[in-house]
Amino acid sequence: MAEGSSRLKTPPVRMESQSDEYEYDEYEDFDAYYDEGQDEMEPEDEREPDPECYEYSVFSVDEAKAYLAKEVQTAADALKVPCYAAKALLMSHQWNLDAIQSRTKQDIANLLVECGVLPSADSSLTKEPAIPSNYVCPVCIENQSKEQLRSLLCGHFFCKDCWSQHVVVLVNEGSSTGICCMAEKCLMRAPEDFVIPLLQSEHHKLRYNDFYFKESIKNHSSLRFCPGADCTIVVYAAEVKSKRVECTQCKTSWCFNCCNNYHAPADCDIIKKWLTKCADDSETANYISAHTKDCPVCNICIEKNGGCNHMQCSKCLHNFCWMCLGDWKTHGSEYYECSRYKENPNIASESANVKAREALKKYLFYFERWDNHAKSLRLEKETLRKSQERIQEKVENKMGTWIDWQYLLAAASLLAKCRYTLQYTYPFAYYLEPSPRKKLFEYQQAQLEAEIENLSWKVERAASYDRGDLENQMSVAEKRRQTMLKDFFPA
């Protein structure tokens, strides 16, 4: 795992005694602090890890099966039970052996009953039920020889053919760990060693094993399937956190905790609520999804065809911000206001209708910025393609090698990475209650957004900027991004 670091000194704070509340100085102090640290932006401790650094392992299907088998054997040896009983206990405890070992012997016996492994806490795992003679199968109502009878530890006998038909039907329905005894109200579960010999075709055996494996992974607290389309990779992490993992096979990037798109600095609960709200209010927000706006000077209709929010009108050459339509010349000093939602200070005393309109206004403010960055990310794929074409052209014209021009691809890649983080700051800010902490977050958000727009402008016009200027902008943008994650995203 690659590790990096970015740490700035803590901004000036004023601590309140006997309270966890803290208060930050006015925004001018933020500016003074950041301006003071511009020449010393290097980390104070080179060993400090990247705030997004996360240790995990990537398994193939065979490697994941071997890992699970090893855990089952370890549990069987520790608990002194057969492997099928150990697996049932692990499945009921998210494969946490320590949680099982903390229980008494009687507790474990009761757990085995609850898991459907034992018919009662007084039964033995090794005692086979006596096979009856001249037995009539309760399902097919035919006399069966002892060789044709099968039973779980519960002692409910059925003929082999009836058992076989029963498990085939359940396997076709996608069941594996849920295959139980056919007797009425009997909850005994059939282990793998009992089920597989009853499956006649290789197709059904493979299907059963596949379902059982998937159930085991889904039940395991430290294992996740890659959510990429048709991907079979399994990821293991000793500590379950809302951190980014990337599949080595399909290159899908996702959050290990919730298996959705990576969403720092928003946590899993926040992004779940935000996506649900976006889906519910999608029709209300349709009007802001247009790709065109009017130039604030000459009113000509302008289409946004790049990721950068720094727009220049092709008719009057006026430079303005796509989001707030403000003059770009003075925009740098006002960027904080552009990305910060201004709460109505008197909203508590307003009527229900006014509160509802204010709530919608607030949602649309954050949604527009969230949606804009999502669109910018899609548009910047075109920027990456153009960078690749530009490099190819320079190489063909003997103007250097691929290695000489790789910094252009690195800049486009970093731009997408930074904008992705910035996109997810808006759901985080939407649910963040007004406080000094939110003011600091919005300040850092605005600083990051300003640096990203500068980087986007330079990447789209890389021919106009030398390599040193572009790489310096890359460094500043990435340090802003890492600082925000370190301060507001849980480790």
Side-chain angles (χ1 to χ4, degrees):
M1 295 294 296
E3 293 191 0
S5 62
S6 177
R7 185 172 73 179
L8 299 177
K9 295 178 290 184
T10 305
V13 300
R14 184 164 58 249
M15 304 300 296
E16 299 290 341
S17 61
Q18 298 180 345
S19 173
D20 291 334
E21 295 295 324
Y22 50 90
E23 207 172 308
Y24 292 95
D25 289 342
E26 295 301 318
Y27 312 137
E28 290 77 5
D29 290 334
F30 295 157
D31 290 322
Y33 155 67
Y34 279 111
D35 291 341
E36 177 187 355
Q38 284 298 318
D39 297 330
E40 299 179 355
M41 295 274 296
E42 292 302 317
E44 295 177 9
D45 184 353
E46 293 293 341
R47 295 169 298 175
E48 182 184 354
D50 186 319
E52 292 187 306
C53 182
Y54 188 46
E55 296 295 331
Y56 59 89
S57 302
V58 178
F59 294 156
S60 65
V61 170
D62 290 340
E63 290 170 337
K65 287 181 177 179
Y67 178 83
L68 291 174
K70 183 178 179 181
E71 285 205 320
V72 170
Q73 189 60 58
T74 300
D77 294 341
L79 300 173
K80 296 180 172 54
V81 296
C83 286
Y84 73 88
K87 181 178 287 190
L89 289 170
L90 289 171
M91 291 281 280
S92 67
H93 286 77
Q94 295 188 302
W95 295 75
N96 186 342
L97 179 57
D98 291 339
I100 302 171
Q101 288 181 305
S102 66
R103 292 177 173 265
T104 65
K105 186 175 181 180
Q106 184 59 44
D107 285 340
I108 293 176
N110 291 332
L111 282 173
L112 289 170
V113 175
E114 293 175 12
C115 296
V117 177
L118 279 177
S120 69
D122 298 328
S123 302
S124 170
L125 285 164
T126 58
K127 182 180 178 181
E128 294 290 338
I131 303 176
S133 56
N134 299 321
Y135 186 77
V136 177
C137 174
V139 176
C140 62
I141 319 299
E142 293 184 4
N143 286 317
Q144 301 290 344
S145 64
K146 290 185 177 182
E147 292 75 17
Q148 289 296 315
L149 296 178
R150 301 288 185 275
S151 172
L152 300 172
L153 290 179
C154 57
H156 297 129
F157 283 89
F158 300 90
C159 71
K160 180 181 177 182
D161 291 341
C162 289
W163 266 116
S164 181
Q165 293 177 36
H166 175 64
V167 298
V168 166
V169 169
L170 291 177
V171 168
N172 284 335
E173 292 177 352
S175 182
S176 57
T177 58
I179 297 178
C180 296
C181 176
M182 289 188 284
E184 186 178 3
K185 297 183 180 179
C186 183
L187 301 178
M188 286 292 296
R189 294 182 182 272
E192 292 175 273
D193 293 344
F194 182 87
V195 173
I196 291 178
L198 295 171
L199 298 170
Q200 301 300 316
S201 69
E202 286 300 317
H203 167 73
H204 285 111
K205 290 179 181 179
L206 290 173
R207 187 177 174 87
Y208 172 78
N209 285 328
D210 183 50
F211 287 143
Y212 207 107
F213 172 66
K214 288 179 178 178
E215 283 296 318
S216 299
I217 296 297
K218 290 177 182 178
N219 186 265
H220 202 296
S221 61
S222 299
L223 294 175
R224 300 285 189 276
F225 277 115
C226 171
D230 300 321
C231 187
T232 59
I233 289 297
V234 176
V235 177
Y236 167 82
E239 294 183 86
V240 179
K241 295 182 177 181
S242 300
K243 294 287 188 176
R244 183 202 301 270
V245 297
E246 182 173 316
C247 177
T248 56
Q249 179 171 288
C250 68
K251 305 304 179 183
T252 300
S253 179
W254 43 285
C255 168
F256 186 81
N257 186 48
C258 66
C259 295
N260 291 317
N261 290 336
Y262 182 62
H263 44 71
D267 61 33
C268 299
D269 291 337
I270 283 177
I271 203 61
K272 181 180 178 180
K273 288 192 294 184
W274 173 256
L275 293 176
T276 301
K277 184 170 183 61
C278 289
D280 293 342
D281 293 340
S282 58
E283 291 304 315
T284 306
N286 274 345
Y287 80 92
I288 63 170
S289 299
H291 292 272
T292 61
K293 291 185 179 181
D294 292 342
C295 171
V297 173
C298 67
N299 296 320
I300 189 174
C301 185
I302 296 176
E303 180 181 11
K304 191 172 188 285
N305 60 3
C308 184
N309 285 324
H310 178 181
M311 308 300 294
Q312 185 178 61
C313 178
S314 58
K315 181 180 179 182
C316 68
L317 302 183
H318 175 61
N319 289 271
F320 63 96
C321 170
W322 176 261
M323 294 307 303
C324 68
L325 302 180
D327 190 327
W328 195 264
K329 292 180 181 178
T330 59
H331 197 257
S333 60
E334 299 173 352
Y335 219 104
Y336 177 68
E337 298 300 319
C338 177
S339 61
R340 180 176 70 92
Y341 179 74
K342 298 176 182 178
E343 301 277 356
N344 181 351
N346 302 317
I347 190 63
S349 60
E350 300 288 357
S351 67
N353 288 338
V354 172
K355 289 180 179 178
R357 287 195 296 271
E358 184 68 20
L360 178 60
K361 179 183 175 183
K362 176 181 178 181
Y363 163 70
L364 292 177
F365 177 91
Y366 287 106
F367 179 87
E368 183 176 9
R369 282 150 180 78
W370 151 274
D371 191 55
N372 175 65
H373 286 298
K375 290 175 180 176
S376 293
L377 276 170
R378 293 193 290 271
L379 292 170
E380 277 160 3
K381 289 183 180 179
E382 181 66 14
T383 301
L384 178 59
R385 186 188 65 78
K386 290 179 180 178
S387 295
Q388 292 172 330
E389 291 179 352
R390 191 181 304 122
I391 292 173
Q392 182 65 35
E393 182 181 345
K394 290 181 180 294
V395 171
E396 290 176 353
N397 292 330
K398 310 295 183 182
M399 297 174 64
T401 66
W402 269 96
I403 296 177
D404 296 328
W405 299 105
Q406 284 304 297
Y407 75 94
L408 293 178
L409 296 183
S413 177
L414 178 65
L415 174 59
K417 182 179 180 181
C418 289
R419 194 177 289 284
Y420 188 92
T421 298
L422 184 60
Q423 177 189 355
Y424 282 92
T425 64
Y426 284 99
F428 183 84
Y430 176 78
Y431 288 103
L432 198 59
E433 293 295 329
S435 64
R437 174 177 167 80
K438 183 171 185 177
K439 291 179 181 179
L440 176 61
F441 176 79
E442 288 175 331
Y443 177 86
Q444 291 193 7
Q445 180 188 46
Q447 294 295 309
L448 174 61
E449 188 152 9
E451 300 301 345
I452 288 175
E453 296 309 330
N454 288 339
L455 178 60
S456 182
W457 179 267
K458 291 178 180 180
V459 167
E460 292 178 4
R461 298 160 180 79
S464 305
Y465 296 92
D466 63 38
R467 177 172 180 171
D469 188 15
L470 185 57
E471 289 183 335
N472 180 65
Q473 186 61 47
M474 290 168 61
S475 176
V476 173
E478 175 61 4
K479 286 171 182 175
R480 293 292 190 198
R481 190 186 75 87
Q482 288 199 16
T483 298
M484 170 170 279
L485 291 176
K486 180 174 67 69
D487 290 347
F488 291 95
F489 193 52

